[in-house]
Amino acid sequence: MSTLVVVGVQWGDEGKGKVVDLLAREADVIVRFQGGNNAGHTLVVGGKKTIVRLIPSGVLHAGKVCVIGNGVVVDPQVLVEEIDTLQQQGCLLDPAFLKISETAHLIMPYHKAIDLARERLRGEGRIGTTGRGIGPTYEDKMARVGVRFIDLLDEKVFSEKLAHNLQEKNIYLGSILKEQALDYGQIFDGYCRLRERLAQYVIDTSRYLHQEISRGRKVLFEGAQGTMLDVDHGTYPFVTSSNTVSGAVCAGAGVAPQQIHNVIGISKTYTTRVGSGPFPTELFGPEGEKLRHDGGEFGSVTGRPRRCGWFDAVVVRTAARLNGLNSLALTKIDVLSGFPTLRICTGYDYQGRHYDEMPASIQVLEGLTPIYEELPGWSERLTDLRSLDALPANARRYVERIEQLIGVPVKMISVGAGREETILIRPSFF
Ligand code: IMP
C-alpha cells in the first residue's frame, strides 16, 4: 500500500508538473484533488512542450489512470479542449484512463463573469486572480448552490439548478457589478453538449481510489498552486480559494488520513509569485530581472510576468511543517548560475520581534525586514549534470544549507525543464 502527495511549498509555479511527470513513472494512478484550471503545469518531453491545466501531469505516460477528484472545480469547456489536444498527441485515447468525480463542482459562465468583474472593480486592491472563475465556484460550493457533475448528468436537475442560480446571478451581475446578463438557453445548450463528451468519464472516484489503494496500486496525488496560496494557511486574502496543503487530499479526493504515506514538497531554489500580495524577498532591480529572464518566469496560464526574489527559508519551513514533508525536490537550480553571491532569507524582523515562520498579519508581512545570509555563487552551466557530486562545490553548499534550514532531506534537484534534466538523489519516492 503506497501513496505519495506532491505539493508546492511556495506561491505556486514551483515546477510541480515536471516532478509529477517524472514521479508518474512509478505510479499507477495520478490524482488532482483541489484547484482548477488556474493551475498550469508545463511538461517538456523530448524538447516538446505540453501545458496541462486540469488533467493530472502524469497524462503523458501511457497506461496511467488520471483522476480529477471531487475537490477540483472543473470548467467543462476547458477540459474538453484539453482532452482534444491530448488525444491529437496520441494520449488518453482509451476513456478508461481518465476518471472525473461525480461530485466535482462545475465552473459556470457566471462564475467567470463574476471573477473578472470583481477584479476590475477592486482596482488597486485586486487579488490578481487568474480570472478563471475559481473563487466564485468555491463560494457557491460552500453556499450549497454549486452544480456538480452528477447534477449535469440529470438534465432535469441541471436545468432547475441553472435556472435558479442564473436568476440570482443575473441580478448580481447587472445591479452590483454592472455587467451584461447571461442567457439561460445558451448556457444550457452548451453544457448539455459538453455533457455528451464528458459523461463517459464520470464515476465515484473516492470509492475507486479506495479500491486501488487497497489493491496495493501506487497512487500519486498532485497538488496545484502552493502552500502560501492556501485559503487557510497562505497570505490571506492574497490566496486561492482552496486548501492546497497535503491534508486537503483527504477531503478533496475522499481518502482517509491513514492512506497518506509520503509527502514531497516542491520548491524553487529561489522564489516567485504571480498576482498581488506580500512577498518579503522580492527583488526589484537587475537581480530580479535576471531571475525572470533566465528562469522564463512568465505565467503558463495567464502569461503574466512573475515577481522574483531570493529563496525564503521562512516560507518553506512553514510549509514543511504544515504539509508534513518527508522530502523536498528543489527546482531550477540552473537558473542561479552567474550570480557572484546568492542570498537566502533565514528569518524576519518586525519591530524587534523575530519570526522563523510566516506571520499571519498582512501588515507584519508588508512591514517586515528579511534577515539574509550570503552564500558564494557559481558560474558553471548545470543543465547537463546528473549527480550531486558533479555540481560545483558552491551549488552543493547552497543545497545543503537549504536542507539544514528546512530540516527536510532533498531527494531531487532539477537542472532544466526536460524530464531527463534531473539529479535524483534517492531513487524511490513511494
Ligand atoms: P485564483 O486561484 O484564480 O482565484 O487566483 C488567486 C491567486 O492565486 C492569484 O494571486 C493567482 O495569481 C494565484 N494563483 C492561482 N493559481 C496559481 C498557480 O497555479 N500558480 C501560481 N499562482 C496561482
Side-chain angles (χ1 to χ4, degrees), residues 225-273:
Q225 290 83 48
T227 303
M228 290 303 131
L229 290 171
D230 183 285
V231 67
D232 281 281
H233 304 288
T235 47
Y236 190 90
F238 301 99
V239 291
T240 192
S241 297
S242 61
N243 283 114
T244 60
V245 291
S246 59
V249 165
C250 296
V255 300
Q258 298 93 322
Q259 292 178 315
I260 308 298
H261 307 121
N262 303 289
V263 186
I264 181 166
I266 318 298
S267 171
K268 272 181 190 154
T269 44
Y270 50 98
T271 313
T272 62
R273 106 168 269 181

Side-chain angles (χ1 to χ4, degrees), residues 11-13 16 38-41 115 127-135 224-225 229 238-241 273-276 304:
W11 279 281
D13 309 315
K16 291 180 294 294
N38 47 349
H41 292 163
D115 194 3
I127 293 169
T129 73
T130 57
R132 302 302 196 259
I134 306 296
Q225 290 83 48
L229 290 171
F238 301 99
V239 291
T240 192
S241 297
R273 106 168 269 181
V274 284
S276 324
R304 292 181 287 181

Side-chain angles (χ1 to χ4, degrees), residues 186-262:
Q186 217 175 344
I187 302 177
F188 182 79
D189 293 346
Y191 273 60
C192 287
R193 275 196 299 276
L194 293 166
R195 181 187 60 213
E196 299 310 314
R197 287 290 309 279
L198 296 175
Q200 59 185 323
Y201 303 112
V202 178
I203 64 158
D204 177 346
T205 52
S206 167
R207 274 195 88 163
Y208 168 76
L209 290 172
H210 180 79
Q211 174 195 312
E212 294 304 287
I213 295 169
S214 306
R215 282 174 59 201
R217 305 253 284 168
K218 290 188 173 145
V219 180
L220 176 60
F221 296 94
E222 171 182 0
Q225 290 83 48
T227 303
M228 290 303 131
L229 290 171
D230 183 285
V231 67
D232 281 281
H233 304 288
T235 47
Y236 190 90
F238 301 99
V239 291
T240 192
S241 297
S242 61
N243 283 114
T244 60
V245 291
S246 59
V249 165
C250 296
V255 300
Q258 298 93 322
Q259 292 178 315
I260 308 298
H261 307 121
N262 303 289

